[in-house]
């Protein structure tokens, strides 16, 4: 299985009703296409999504790897009221293509948001402290950047609690 409990995923934008997938997709399931969800549980090689609730009295819907995709958030995916946390710890709110900080501190307007940020929510290296590290939507973290961490073999051994040998 590609995902684990707690992972943020996106229901495929091209999800279609029918039997094109490993399990049948209902019309109600297609109403979630394109939405970012959280893996709540895994049962019988299928996922149960926290936000995809059934209201018809039946058990939860089951989702398979071929119905879901990784969340790769881009600057174009930001929505009104998303909370952005930058690498330097500052928090901002995204509103109508503007980014505002606490106390209405202005950071970027519509022209500079797309000009200053790359699609992957980073800035160029001289402004890396302004990289967007986390995006929260409606109280849920929908994106959190995991930086590559450089470590020596000694540091890796210490973290793991046993000796590590590098092989090629």
């Amino acid at each position: 299985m590609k995902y684990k409990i707690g992972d943020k995923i996106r229901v495929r934008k091209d999800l279609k009703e029918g039997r094109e997938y490993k399990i049948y997709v209902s019309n109600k399931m297609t109403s979630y296409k394109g939405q970012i969800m959280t893996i709540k549980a895994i049962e019988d090689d299928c996922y149960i999504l926290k936000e995809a609730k059934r209201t018809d009295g039946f058990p939860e819907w089951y989702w398979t790897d071929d119905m879901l995709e990784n969340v790769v958030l881009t600057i174009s995916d930001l929505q009104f009221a998303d909370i952005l946390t930058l690498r330097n710890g500052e928090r901002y709110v995204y509103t109508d293509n503007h980014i505002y900080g606490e106390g209405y501190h202005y950071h970027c307007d519509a022209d500079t948001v797309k000009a200053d940020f790359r699609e992957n929510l980073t800035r160029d290296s001289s402004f890396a402290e302004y990289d967007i590290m986390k995006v929260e939507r409606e109280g849920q973290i929908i994106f959190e950047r995991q930086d590559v961490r450089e470590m020596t073999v000694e540091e890796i051994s210490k973290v793991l609690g046993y000796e590590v040998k590098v092989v090629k």
Side-chain angles (χ1 to χ4, degrees):
M1 301 204 62
K2 287 172 62 174
Y3 308 106
K4 62 185 183 319
I5 294 171
D7 282 355
K8 297 288 182 190
I9 54 81
R10 183 187 323 262
V11 176
R12 286 180 45 171
K13 294 176 184 177
D14 61 350
L15 189 72
K16 296 180 180 116
E17 179 181 4
R19 301 190 185 279
E20 295 179 34
Y21 307 92
K22 291 178 184 170
I23 61 174
Y24 180 78
V25 173
S26 74
N27 184 36
K28 295 272 188 191
M29 292 170 77
T30 63
S31 69
Y32 293 103
K33 61 185 172 184
Q35 292 187 34
I36 296 170
M37 305 269 185
T38 309
I39 303 292
K40 173 181 161 184
I42 299 173
E43 290 183 15
D44 300 325
D45 294 331
C46 293
Y47 304 102
I48 296 174
L49 305 180
K50 179 179 177 183
E51 297 82 2
K53 301 194 185 306
R54 289 186 76 159
T55 57
D56 57 7
F58 288 96
E60 312 213 39
W61 283 303
Y62 290 96
W63 306 81
T64 58
D65 284 328
D66 58 340
M67 298 176 192
L68 309 174
E69 58 191 14
N70 287 325
V71 174
V72 178
L73 203 65
T74 68
I75 199 74
S76 302
D77 293 326
L78 294 179
Q79 295 180 8
F80 182 84
D82 281 350
I83 305 297
L84 315 175
T85 302
L86 305 185
R87 185 178 302 277
N88 65 10
E90 294 177 1
R91 290 171 47 94
Y92 291 84
V93 64
Y94 183 81
T95 61
D96 298 323
N97 295 318
H98 291 71
I99 297 175
Y100 292 98
E102 296 172 327
Y104 300 103
H105 171 71
Y106 161 80
H107 184 68
C108 289
D109 64 19
D111 294 328
T112 58
V113 168
K114 293 206 175 176
D116 289 352
F117 287 91
R118 296 182 186 117
E119 274 299 300
N120 69 358
L121 307 177
T122 62
R123 302 280 302 261
D124 66 48
S125 60
S126 59
F127 293 101
E129 71 268 19
Y130 299 113
D131 290 350
I132 298 171
M133 300 301 289
K134 181 167 59 172
V135 178
E136 298 168 70
R137 184 173 294 153
E138 297 175 3
Q140 290 192 341
I141 297 170
I142 62 163
F143 169 80
E144 192 159 18
R145 184 178 310 285
Q146 300 296 321
D147 279 339
V148 174
R149 188 171 152 192
E150 292 184 9
M151 298 175 80
T152 66
V153 173
E154 183 179 311
E155 291 170 327
I156 294 169
S157 293
K158 186 176 180 180
V159 169
L160 293 174
Y162 53 85
E163 286 296 313
V164 173
K165 178 181 170 185
V166 176
V167 294
K168 292 187 181 196

